[in-house]
């Protein structure tokens, strides 16, 4: 861990990353790519020590309320969050100032803040996105070794649904010759249906590989799937987009199953949903912030 001073915290699209780097150890993580210009080890988490101060200033300058997003590059619930509490403090500010929240994670640590998420959703809107790649907990421990298993994430989806907090599942990535099966996709979608998930993001059966994350991914293939690195190199070389040989059939099956289960499966519609700020009156809502500072 190390600290840095950030110049700003919100992107033009109102996204934020309170940390840089991650300790989840997911073997396929695109955020390792060199194009993001991290100048230290990926597991050496950079903490933006002035992030909360910058966020409040940015929210106060906004002329219109909007959705604030986090989790695209670094999971907001890495283990370090439980002591630093940047995410929790950011959520308190979002709730205090009446903004909405779109947050993405793989971790059940998000349940620590379920009361805050509930308060934001009651006042404006909160959407929680959970990444799920495999229905097999044992395989999950290989693909995403330092974060909670799939079954724990499904429990999170149920807990959020009980609070009427909308959820979206990112069924991504689907790794060729590893989790690219009809059975895996069907099992995940059944779990989504049972947990009252609003929709599922799907980019096809495949992943992206570029300099930085490709080397790490291949190293992990050698460790856990002997011989598969050679097949990847032969079939894909240095392609950026790596698609399963079964992509077309699996994609059709995904969309047909979502349609049958009543799950939104249009990516454009779901991304619009993340950004749409509701026209709700918050005049009668009591702020959780006010309760905490009394």
């Amino acid at each position: 861990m190390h600290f840095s001073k950030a110049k700003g915290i919100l992107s033009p699209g109102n996204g934020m990353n309170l940390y840089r780097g991650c300790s989840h150890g997911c073997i396929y993580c695109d955020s390792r790519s060199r194009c993001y210009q991290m100048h230290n080890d990926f597991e050496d988490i950079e903490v933006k020590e002035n992030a909360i101060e910058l966020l409040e200033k940015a929210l106060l300058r906004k002329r219109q309320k909007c959705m604030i997003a986090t989790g695209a590059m670094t999971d907001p619930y890495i283990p370090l969050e439980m002591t630093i509490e940047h995410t929790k403090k950011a959520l308190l500010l979002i709730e205090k100032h009446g903004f909405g929240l779109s947050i993405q994670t793989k971790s059940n640590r998000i349940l620590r803040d379920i009361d805050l998420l509930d308060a934001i959703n009651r006042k404006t809107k909160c959407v929680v996105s959970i990444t799920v790649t495999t229905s097999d907990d044992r395989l999950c421990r290989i693909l995403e070794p330092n974060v909670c298993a799939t079954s724990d994430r499904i429990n999170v989806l149920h807990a959020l649904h009980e609070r009427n907090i909308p959820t979206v599942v990112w069924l991504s990535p689907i790794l060729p010759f590893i989790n690219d099966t009809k059975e895996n996709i069907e099992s995940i979608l059944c779990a989504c249906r049972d947990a009252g998930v609003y929709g599922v993001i799907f980019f096809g059966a495949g992943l992206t590989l570029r300099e930085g994350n490709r080397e790490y991914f291949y190293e992990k293939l050698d460790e856990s799937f002997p011989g598969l690195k050679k097949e990847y190199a032969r079939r894909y070389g240095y392609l950026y987009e790596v698609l399963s040989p079964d992509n077309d059939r699996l994609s059709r099956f995904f969309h047909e199953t979502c349609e049958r289960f009543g799950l939104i499966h249009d990516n454009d519609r779901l991304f619009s949903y993340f950004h749409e700020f509701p026209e709700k009156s918050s005049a009668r809502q009591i702020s959780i912030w006010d309760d905490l500072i009394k």
Side-chain angles (χ1 to χ4, degrees), residues 215-285:
E215 291 80 0
Y216 186 82
F217 179 65
Y218 279 1
E219 177 187 330
K220 295 304 175 182
L221 287 184
D222 269 344
E223 290 178 10
S224 301
F225 306 96
L228 194 50
K229 171 185 171 181
K230 184 177 180 180
E231 176 63 17
Y232 265 73
R234 182 191 69 82
R235 183 178 291 268
Y236 302 115
Y238 287 90
L239 289 175
Y240 169 66
E241 187 176 26
V242 175
L243 292 177
S244 165
D246 211 14
N247 173 59
D248 290 345
R249 184 177 73 93
L250 292 174
S251 294
R252 283 195 304 270
F253 176 75
F254 166 80
H255 291 293
E256 289 169 359
T257 306
C258 284
E259 196 69 27
R260 183 158 48 93
F261 288 171
L263 298 165
I264 305 300
H265 53 101
D266 180 272
N267 286 355
D268 290 340
R269 181 175 171 184
L270 288 168
F271 280 111
S272 293
Y273 181 66
F274 293 146
H275 290 94
E276 291 164 356
F277 185 78
E279 295 300 324
K280 286 185 181 179
S281 171
S282 60
R284 295 187 301 274
Q285 299 289 345

Side-chain angles (χ1 to χ4, degrees), residues 37-270:
Q37 299 182 353
M38 283 198 66
H39 303 298
N40 46 274
D41 290 339
F42 191 65
E43 288 75 16
D44 179 11
I45 309 298
E46 178 183 320
V47 180
K48 299 177 183 180
E49 59 183 330
N50 59 336
I52 303 306
E53 175 188 352
L54 290 173
L55 178 61
E56 181 150 42
K57 289 179 179 178
L59 295 181
L60 288 170
R61 286 196 300 266
K62 292 282 185 186
R63 293 186 177 182
Q64 289 185 321
K65 305 297 184 186
C66 62
M67 299 292 287
I68 305 297
T70 191
M73 291 295 295
T74 296
D75 196 306
Y77 288 99
I78 53 177
L80 195 60
E81 163 61 20
M82 304 311 281
T83 54
I84 301 293
E85 294 193 337
H86 262 13
T87 300
K88 183 175 185 177
K89 293 169 187 174
L91 266 54
L92 282 165
L93 287 176
I94 289 168
E95 196 279 337
K96 172 187 176 183
H97 294 292
F99 285 78
L101 174 70
S102 177
I103 187 167
Q104 182 179 356
T105 185
K106 291 186 177 87
S107 177
N108 59 354
R109 296 185 188 93
I110 193 173
L111 292 180
R112 179 201 66 183
D113 294 333
I114 193 167
D115 289 339
L116 257 174
L117 301 172
D118 192 8
I120 293 169
N121 193 52
R122 288 174 182 272
K123 194 172 186 178
T124 55
K125 176 182 172 183
C126 174
V127 183
V128 177
S129 296
I130 303 286
T131 300
V132 179
T133 58
T134 174
S135 60
D136 184 340
D137 278 358
R138 290 173 297 178
L139 180 58
C140 180
R141 293 297 185 197
I142 296 171
L143 303 183
E144 302 146 345
N146 304 324
V147 67
C148 70
T150 297
S151 57
D152 295 316
R153 298 178 212 176
I154 301 303
N155 289 337
V156 171
L157 292 170
H158 281 279
L160 294 168
H161 183 61
E162 288 174 5
R163 296 288 193 102
N164 295 314
I165 299 169
T167 56
V168 171
V169 162
W170 291 61
L171 207 174
S172 175
I174 298 296
L175 309 176
F177 315 111
I178 297 176
N179 63 339
D180 58 338
T181 67
K182 179 180 174 181
E183 292 74 21
N184 180 51
I185 291 174
E186 184 173 33
S187 181
I188 292 171
L189 293 180
C190 284
C192 290
R193 175 198 58 193
D194 295 345
V197 167
Y198 176 76
V200 183
I201 295 281
F202 182 73
F203 297 107
L207 76 159
T208 57
L209 292 175
R210 48 187 163 188
E211 188 179 7
N213 78 314
R214 179 186 293 107
E215 291 80 0
Y216 186 82
F217 179 65
Y218 279 1
E219 177 187 330
K220 295 304 175 182
L221 287 184
D222 269 344
E223 290 178 10
S224 301
F225 306 96
L228 194 50
K229 171 185 171 181
K230 184 177 180 180
E231 176 63 17
Y232 265 73
R234 182 191 69 82
R235 183 178 291 268
Y236 302 115
Y238 287 90
L239 289 175
Y240 169 66
E241 187 176 26
V242 175
L243 292 177
S244 165
D246 211 14
N247 173 59
D248 290 345
R249 184 177 73 93
L250 292 174
S251 294
R252 283 195 304 270
F253 176 75
F254 166 80
H255 291 293
E256 289 169 359
T257 306
C258 284
E259 196 69 27
R260 183 158 48 93
F261 288 171
L263 298 165
I264 305 300
H265 53 101
D266 180 272
N267 286 355
D268 290 340
R269 181 175 171 184
L270 288 168

